[in-house]
C-alpha cells in the first residue's frame, strides 16, 4: 500500500515539475516574442524611409520589391510611397 502511495506521489511531483518547466519555457518564449516585436517595430520606419528615398530617386517599384526581397507586397510599397507624397514608378 505504501508503494502505491509513493508511486502516486512521485507521479504527481513529476507532473508538477513538468508543468513548471513548461511555464518557464512559455515565459521565455513570450520574452523572445516581445523582443522580436520590438525589433520589427524599430526596423519598419528605416525601411519605409529607404523605400521612399529610392522611389524619389526614380527607382522602379519592381526594383524596390526585388531589393527588399519582397518582405512587403507591391501594394504596401505603393502605400508607403503615396503616404510620403511619392507616386512609385511601375
Amino acid at each position: 500500500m505504501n508503494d502505491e502511495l509513493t508511486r502516486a506521489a512521485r507521479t504527481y511531483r513529476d507532473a508538477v515539475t513538468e508543468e513548471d518547466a513548461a511555464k518557464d519555457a512559455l515565459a521565455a518564449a513570450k520574452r523572445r516574442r516581445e523582443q522580436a516585436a520590438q525589433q520589427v517595430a524599430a526596423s519598419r520606419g528605416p525601411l519605409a524611409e529607404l523605400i521612399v528615398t529610392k522611389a524619389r530617386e526614380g527607382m522602379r517599384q519592381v526594383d524596390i520589391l526585388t531589393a527588399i526581397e519582397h518582405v512587403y507586397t507591391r501594394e504596401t510599397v505603393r502605400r508607403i510611397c503615396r503616404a510620403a507624397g511619392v507616386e512609385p514608378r511601375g
Side-chain angles (χ1 to χ4, degrees), residues 26-73:
L26 186 59
K30 183 178 178 183
R31 285 190 300 276
R32 283 194 311 274
R33 198 267 180 224
E34 289 168 354
Q35 290 170 346
Q38 289 172 355
Q39 289 174 336
V40 167
S43 62
R44 183 180 292 126
L47 177 57
E49 289 174 16
L50 283 171
I51 288 170
V52 170
T53 298
K54 294 301 179 182
R56 282 190 176 128
E57 291 173 356
M59 186 178 226
R60 296 179 321 146
Q61 189 173 6
V62 67
D63 296 329
I64 292 171
L65 287 166
T66 300
I68 64 170
E69 300 173 345
H70 294 270
V71 294
Y72 285 149
T73 64

Side-chain angles (χ1 to χ4, degrees), residues 8 11-12 14 16 18-19 35 41 45 49 53 59 61 77-78 87:
T11 299
Y12 174 76
D14 291 347
V16 168
E18 186 65 30
E19 182 184 29
Q35 290 170 346
E49 289 174 16
T53 298
M59 186 178 226
Q61 189 173 6
V77 169
R78 186 184 67 77
E87 190 63 37

